[in-house]
Amino acid sequence: MYQILAFGDSLTWGADPATGLRHPPQAQWPRALETGLTGARVHADGVGGRTTCRDDDAGAASRNGAKALPVALSAHMPLDLVILMLGTNDLKAVHGGLAASAQAGMRRLAEIVATFPYKPRSAVPKLLIIAPPPCGAGAAGGRRVEESLLLAPLYRQLAAEVGAGFFDAGSVAHPSAIDGVHLEAKETAALGRALVGPVRVMLA
């Protein structure tokens, strides 16, 4: 059975923009992806507020993706595929709010995936980089829509440089008007279904 790690933030956890609570399993994109695949297990690791590589101690848990990713790789290896969808929280004003900084952080995460001491050492998983949907008007945290629109082209460029797959979540899902960041249940489920084809190709 194929083993997949879905590593991200509250968009991966499945936060409901209206309540802040978690969408039901069938509406979380990692579960929707797993349902659409045959012979695959998707391990969802999403933490609200998680950044690519920036410390943020305002939450209940560590939000630095570069510190958390090695733990997740250790817990779930051997893996066939790692899916990274982060960057929305890097766009918060407190973190500088620049898409280029998010790209730099995603580059560091790609390096971690490529160089982690797996068991066995040869079991390096493939990597799929997902650009999160662009933020909507009035997005919480001082996120600027124009910077969020830069994530997809920057991540596409990075994926080409490091030999990873790429998917633009904004092509199939859009944030809720409630907070301009999080996804309604139908949107996050649609993302999971849209990933089935690209993931099948990468696993083949």
Side-chain angles (χ1 to χ4, degrees):
M1 177 172 284
Y2 291 114
Q3 301 294 322
I4 301 169
L5 173 64
F7 188 81
D9 51 28
S10 56
L11 299 180
T12 297
W13 183 74
D16 185 322
T19 66
L21 302 178
R22 199 173 196 180
H23 287 307
Q26 66 271 20
Q28 299 162 20
W29 75 257
R31 296 283 75 79
L33 170 60
E34 183 178 81
T35 299
L37 295 171
T38 300
R41 171 76 186 277
V42 180
H43 305 276
D45 191 323
V47 171
R50 179 178 278 164
T51 66
T52 57
C53 66
R54 288 159 185 82
D55 289 324
D56 183 347
D57 297 322
S62 172
R63 293 174 165 182
N64 186 321
K67 293 179 179 178
L69 181 56
V71 178
L73 295 175
S74 295
H76 299 295
M77 67 179 176
L79 292 161
D80 298 285
L81 176 67
V82 173
I83 302 175
L84 301 176
M85 186 169 78
L86 285 167
T88 301
N89 292 308
D90 295 66
L91 299 181
K92 290 179 179 178
V94 69
H95 297 310
L98 297 177
S101 294
Q103 184 200 40
M106 185 62 78
R107 185 184 299 277
R108 175 62 189 132
L109 297 180
E111 290 173 350
I112 292 172
V113 172
T115 62
F116 186 80
Y118 298 100
K119 294 181 180 180
R121 287 296 184 106
S122 60
V124 180
K126 294 180 179 179
L127 174 62
L128 174 60
I129 295 174
I130 300 180
C135 299
R143 299 173 179 90
R144 290 184 292 163
V145 174
E146 59 269 27
E147 284 295 322
S148 70
L149 290 168
L150 297 176
L151 287 178
L154 287 173
Y155 282 14
R156 185 188 299 273
Q157 177 189 47
L158 173 62
E161 291 176 5
V162 302
F166 171 77
F167 188 84
D168 180 5
S171 66
V172 297
H174 306 88
S176 168
I178 294 175
D179 65 4
V181 175
H182 296 101
L183 305 178
E184 303 284 357
K186 64 179 182 179
E187 298 286 333
T188 183
L191 172 58
R193 292 192 298 269
L195 285 168
V196 171
V199 167
R200 279 179 180 160
V201 170
M202 293 195 71
L203 293 176

